[in-house]
Amino acid sequence: HKFYAALPAWSRVHTKSFFTILQVAVVRYLQGTVILGLVVAVLTYVLLLIFKINFALPVAVFAGLMEVVPTIGPWLGGGLAVIVTLATSPHKVIWVIIGFLLIQQLEIQLLAPKIRGSQMEIHPAFLLILTVLGAYFAGILGFIIVLPLAMVFIKTFKYLRDSVRDGTIS
């Protein structure tokens, strides 16, 4: 609270509001990632159960956890499933590979834009454009931070716009 006390009186409420916006953006991004990881874990578990692959639950949990790692995480999750299938039921490996490719396409094309878009309050099409631009300009770091930054920017813009309209900022 000493931080806020050191600020000019007129800026305290706005600074607190900005930090609230920042906190909400990060929490929502993390919530979206957790939801996406859970969905991928469940889909992976169902896939591995259908083909009666040993260690389905730990492999599915690993695949879900790997959703936190951008770009290569889903491949690591799928890679473990392929390795376990090769070790325990090699004649089923092609079906597990096909299943994982389908899960990844479902995730990329439908799940990620819908889940992250709803959590971040950003239209799914805009979300896809942002993630591509973030990855292009800043690599994996850009891919990770572009959505929370966009949400902070949008929410801050709306907050400033509303504050100017209601006269709290002139």
Side-chain angles (χ1 to χ4, degrees), residues 1-169:
H1 296 42
K2 291 180 183 180
F3 172 75
Y4 294 117
L7 295 172
W10 64 268
S11 70
R12 286 183 195 134
V13 69
H14 302 300
T15 303
K16 285 180 183 179
S17 295
F18 174 75
F19 282 114
T20 299
I21 289 169
L22 186 62
Q23 178 184 355
V24 167
V26 171
V27 167
R28 288 207 171 176
Y29 178 76
L30 293 174
Q31 286 173 337
T33 301
V34 168
I35 292 168
L36 194 56
L38 287 171
V39 170
V40 168
V42 168
L43 291 174
T44 300
Y45 186 64
V46 169
L47 170 73
L48 297 177
L49 281 181
I50 288 171
F51 292 110
K52 296 180 172 94
I53 304 301
N54 294 334
F55 310 108
L57 184 58
V59 171
V61 169
F62 180 76
L65 290 173
M66 287 298 99
E67 288 300 312
V68 174
V69 181
T71 310
I72 63 167
W75 293 104
L76 294 173
L80 179 62
V82 169
I83 291 168
V84 168
T85 304
L86 280 172
T88 60
S89 303
H91 59 285
K92 297 178 184 177
V93 74
I94 191 68
W95 296 111
V96 171
I97 291 171
I98 291 169
F100 254 94
L101 291 174
L102 290 174
I103 290 171
Q104 288 309 306
Q105 285 305 304
L106 178 67
E107 176 193 357
I108 292 166
Q109 302 296 326
L110 181 67
L111 296 175
K114 286 299 252 182
I115 291 171
R116 286 207 171 111
S118 68
Q119 285 300 115
M120 302 300 294
E121 298 176 359
I122 298 172
H123 191 278
F126 189 53
L127 182 136
L128 288 172
I129 292 168
L130 285 173
T131 55
V132 168
L133 290 174
Y136 178 78
F137 287 111
I140 289 176
L141 181 63
F143 184 85
I144 294 170
I145 66 170
V146 72
L147 297 181
L149 281 178
M151 185 179 181
V152 167
F153 177 78
I154 291 166
K155 294 288 186 179
T156 301
F157 176 80
K158 288 179 180 179
Y159 174 80
L160 291 173
R161 179 196 64 199
D162 295 344
S163 295
V164 167
R165 283 184 183 164
D166 67 17
T168 56
I169 296 179

